[in-house]
Amino acid sequence: MKKWFLMPLVAAFLFVGCGEKFNKPKLVVFIVVDQGMPELLEKYNHLFTGGYRWLKDNGVSFSNTHHEYGYLVTGPSHYVLSSGRNPGNGGVIGNYWFNRDTKESWYCVQDTFATNVINGKESLSYRNIDKTTLGDWLKESNPNTKVVSISGKDRAAILLGGKNPDMALWYGKQGGYTTSTYYGSKLPDWVISFNSHLNVSSYVDTVWNRLLPESIYISNTRADFYKGEADWSQKDGYSPTFPITFDELGVESMLGSFPYIPFGDEAMLRLGVIAAEKHELGEDENTDILFLGLSATDGVGHEFGPHSHEQLDNYLRVDRHLGSFIESVESSIGSGNTLYVLTSDHGSIALPEYLKSEGIDAGRIPKPMKDSLYADVKTKIDLHVGKNKVYRYGNFFYYDTSMHQLEREAATDILKSNLSKLDGIRSVITKKEILDGGNSIYERRLKNMIHPQKSPDVFLIPKKYWTMRYPYGASHGTPYDYDTHIPFVLSRGGSKSRINSKRVESVDIAPTLAQYLNVQFPKDIDGKALNLDE
Ligand SMILES: [Zn+2]
């Protein structure tokens, strides 16, 4: 039986003056910037003139918002934001995980029934996830509500959109946006038309250069040429600097990586404007919701690190593109009728080379060294425990369900004694040790990532400021604050800018919006609705 939870309407007067009547927004625009970091929004705040400026100047920023789980990657985190559940409770534990029954890899939005409407190949959807999300709660409360979700990344669009959206669109690697038969039998004409004008292949001829004078970049962040950054051109030896040309990448590579460069987000936001118009979002009294997942900040961050000139430039471009988007929504739906939410799925570590220069004990765990240790461990487990007993999946280890207690203990001993030798590893820890652990923030984050059946049996946790990304770039996926700290801004045109520094968990975002919209949400989620008037 479904249990529903309805909070009293305490948030009703957010963004309106005393004595004014609360107007429910006609539209909610829920923006998730993949790898969007509060630290960078703050660092570059004085340079913003577009969307980031407008959102901050017209709303409340919750400056102390964190994901409270331990394996911070795109799939689980988007799902946390839309469902109010941590991965342990929600069951989306990674982008991929190992299915113990089939002994195969499982993608978080895999759907063996659905097909891609463009090419007929097996596709993706929300079908195999049983919990509901904010969009579903809105639809349960009012079937006339419309829910549309768009992102460069399929898992972002699908996990934000939930079980029953009117449309979910993602970039389909063949040069355009697509969907699966779970959402509709064919691609809407307006998406076909958008795709036909997109011409992604032609972007190989573009040059990505700084938007503003170089002096602004020099005075606001570290050097452009920095060891540890990826070099996309390799033209004159190692030269990870602007300008970046794409001609050497080739058309195939451009088709695949389009969402992860700033041009991809610009296109996605233009599609967002068209989608709002075609679905008539915000045009009547039923509150609609548009989810937008921006992917380039993650792509640029992985390659060049958060403090690069490239990432500063990307933030400036997102600011501009979001500015145009908001301008367009405000003019078509009317000032103050849209509630914007800005948040993120995770942050990132800085380049270890940069952290070292700041005097921090930081580093990369070399992949060749890790792989050779993994090979040693496999030989030892095969010999002492047996073959096909322990499955390595990335940096996780799964025990076969047939293993008895003594075999498990022997395997755990081998994994711990060998893998803890790796420089940069904080702990080799079992699922049981995590569940039996204490209640510090760190231990709680680890517990919240554990799903009793799906989670691996043994985890490798890197030390703080150490990464398994090798040999270049930066990444995320840890329980540390640089990964868990996310922006959370709620804005409506004309509202006063303020900062609220109380501790907020990412699972609170969906129920807080539900309460604001006077919509019921399931009682067994992990999040709680915040009182926005505090
Ligand atoms: Zn990422």
Side-chain angles (χ1 to χ4, degrees):
M1 197 181 82
K2 257 184 203 164
K3 287 182 189 150
W4 293 95
F5 190 48
L6 178 62
M7 290 285 290
L9 250 179
V10 287
F13 298 101
L14 174 77
F15 308 132
V16 293
C18 280
E20 281 178 59
K21 193 175 165 291
F22 172 71
N23 287 318
K24 222 157 68 161
K26 292 181 169 184
L27 175 64
V28 176
V29 177
F30 193 121
I31 302 159
V32 183
V33 178
D34 202 312
Q35 207 187 114
M37 295 173 71
E39 181 192 350
L40 296 186
L41 287 172
E42 200 49 48
K43 183 177 172 183
Y44 304 136
N45 181 44
H46 60 290
L47 299 172
F48 297 140
T49 54
Y52 282 143
R53 172 88 288 117
W54 191 94
L55 293 169
K56 194 168 180 206
D57 289 353
N58 286 283
V60 50
S61 305
F62 291 88
S63 59
N64 195 10
T65 304
H66 287 260
H67 283 288
E68 294 297 349
Y69 83 100
Y71 179 54
L72 272 285
V73 292
T74 308
S77 288
H78 279 79
Y79 180 61
V80 166
L81 294 169
S82 64
S83 71
R85 292 173 196 270
N86 281 310
N89 178 1
V92 179
I93 59 165
N95 291 333
Y96 297 83
W97 58 88
F98 180 76
N99 182 327
R100 279 194 178 82
D101 299 328
T102 60
K103 302 194 175 26
E104 282 176 356
S105 178
W106 182 262
Y107 184 45
C108 59
V109 288
Q110 195 168 323
D111 178 358
T112 49
F113 291 102
T115 54
N116 185 316
V117 294
I118 291 182
N119 57 25
K121 290 185 181 163
E122 186 182 310
S123 192
L124 308 162
S125 83
Y126 199 86
R127 189 190 310 269
N128 291 303
I129 299 165
D130 59 354
K131 305 291 199 292
T132 53
T133 63
L134 177 63
D136 300 318
W137 309 337
L138 274 158
K139 279 204 171 256
E140 290 257 3
S141 141
N142 177 358
N144 294 321
T145 283
K146 279 165 271 176
V147 178
V148 175
S149 186
I150 312 174
S151 177
K153 290 190 183 178
D154 48 47
R155 56 187 177 273
I158 290 169
L159 293 166
L160 289 174
K163 220 170 221 350
N164 192 23
D166 293 83
M167 181 51 72
L169 293 167
W170 56 87
Y171 179 79
K173 294 192 176 68
Q174 65 285 76
Y177 287 82
T178 189
T179 189
S180 79
T181 48
Y182 179 85
Y183 302 98
S185 57
K186 64 184 194 63
L187 207 57
D189 289 343
W190 51 271
V191 184
I192 295 172
S193 162
F194 182 85
N195 285 344
S196 70
H197 293 102
L198 192 55
N199 201 4
V200 174
S201 312
S202 69
Y203 282 84
V204 294
D205 299 325
T206 54
V207 176
W208 175 20
N209 213 339
R210 293 178 188 82
L211 199 59
L212 300 179
E214 189 177 355
S215 58
I216 291 176
Y217 299 70
I218 293 169
S219 58
N220 280 284
T221 195
R222 63 163 167 75
D224 187 20
F225 191 116
Y226 213 91
K227 192 168 175 291
E229 288 192 10
D231 179 9
W232 283 1
S233 80
Q234 300 280 352
K235 253 179 196 157
D236 311 303
Y238 179 66
S239 55
T241 54
F242 276 123
I244 293 169
T245 52
F246 297 104
D247 51 348
E248 280 180 57
L249 269 181
V251 169
E252 270 314 300
S253 194
M254 174 54 77
L255 290 176
S257 45
F258 183 64
Y260 311 114
I261 56 175
F263 311 119
D265 276 346
E266 184 197 12
M268 197 279 296
L269 285 166
R270 277 195 281 116
L271 183 61
V273 171
I274 298 169
E277 183 196 320
K278 298 296 178 184
H279 282 276
E280 300 178 349
L281 302 184
E283 287 187 11
D284 57 28
E285 296 313 308
N286 309 302
T287 305
D288 301 320
I289 185 158
L290 174 63
F291 291 98
L292 296 171
L294 279 75
S295 309
T297 306
D298 190 55
V300 175
H302 275 300
E303 296 291 300
F304 306 102
H307 300 287
S308 57
H309 281 215
E310 289 84 352
Q311 190 63 299
L312 166 51
D313 193 70
N314 174 60
Y315 268 71
L316 295 171
R317 288 174 189 269
V318 171
D319 175 54
R320 286 200 177 184
H321 300 147
L322 269 179
S324 310
F325 172 84
I326 291 170
E327 214 176 282
S328 164
V329 171
E330 289 294 290
S331 75
S332 65
I333 298 178
S335 176
N337 287 327
T338 301
L339 172 69
Y340 298 86
V341 185
L342 175 75
T343 187
S344 174
D345 56 346
H346 53 71
S348 171
I349 193 173
L351 293 183
E353 293 79 2
Y354 171 70
L355 291 167
K356 277 184 192 166
S357 78
E358 300 275 295
I360 293 169
D361 171 20
R364 298 182 187 275
I365 298 169
K367 190 171 183 301
M369 200 183 281
K370 197 178 65 180
D371 287 348
S372 116
L373 259 185
Y374 284 162
D376 279 359
V377 159
K378 183 176 181 334
T379 310
K380 286 177 182 161
I381 290 177
D382 284 354
L383 193 67
H384 297 291
V385 184
K387 290 196 171 186
N388 301 323
K389 298 273 187 180
V390 176
Y391 306 94
R392 179 172 80 82
Y393 188 76
N395 296 305
F396 302 111
F397 294 85
Y398 288 78
Y399 292 167
D400 194 85
T401 45
S402 69
M403 278 170 82
H404 56 69
Q405 191 55 26
L406 284 177
E407 287 177 320
R408 285 169 179 260
E409 283 168 16
T412 302
D413 283 349
I414 294 170
L415 288 167
K416 284 194 177 220
S417 59
N418 287 276
L419 299 180
S420 52
K421 286 182 205 156
L422 263 178
D423 211 10
I425 291 296
R426 172 176 176 156
S427 64
V428 180
I429 188 167
T430 65
K431 178 162 68 181
K432 183 167 184 325
E433 286 167 337
I434 290 173
L435 291 172
D436 292 345
N439 267 320
S440 68
I441 288 179
Y442 170 76
E443 289 167 307
R444 226 170 63 81
R445 284 180 184 162
L446 295 189
K447 274 185 208 174
N448 284 339
M449 73 181 180
I450 300 292
H451 183 274
Q453 285 83 42
K454 292 178 182 171
S455 286
D457 292 282
V458 176
F459 297 78
L460 261 73
I461 314 282
K463 279 188 196 162
K464 194 172 181 185
Y465 301 122
W466 283 71
T467 179
M468 299 203 194
R469 183 94 176 179
Y470 182 86
Y472 298 117
S475 199
H476 46 86
T478 76
Y480 303 119
D481 281 2
Y482 48 77
D483 277 352
T484 62
H485 192 198
I486 50 167
F488 174 34
V489 183
L490 283 173
S491 310
R492 265 180 101 165
S495 51
K496 236 169 80 186
S497 170
R498 64 189 168 96
I499 292 174
N500 186 326
S501 60
K502 79 172 169 189
R503 187 96 182 170
V504 175
E505 299 190 11
S506 56
V507 287
D508 299 335
I509 294 175
T512 298
L513 291 169
Q515 175 184 268
Y516 185 74
L517 300 169
N518 199 19
V519 165
Q520 292 175 312
F521 54 88
K523 202 174 179 179
D524 65 341
I525 64 170
D526 295 312
K528 59 189 181 308
L530 303 170
N531 180 354
L532 296 176
D533 286 340
E534 275 176 1

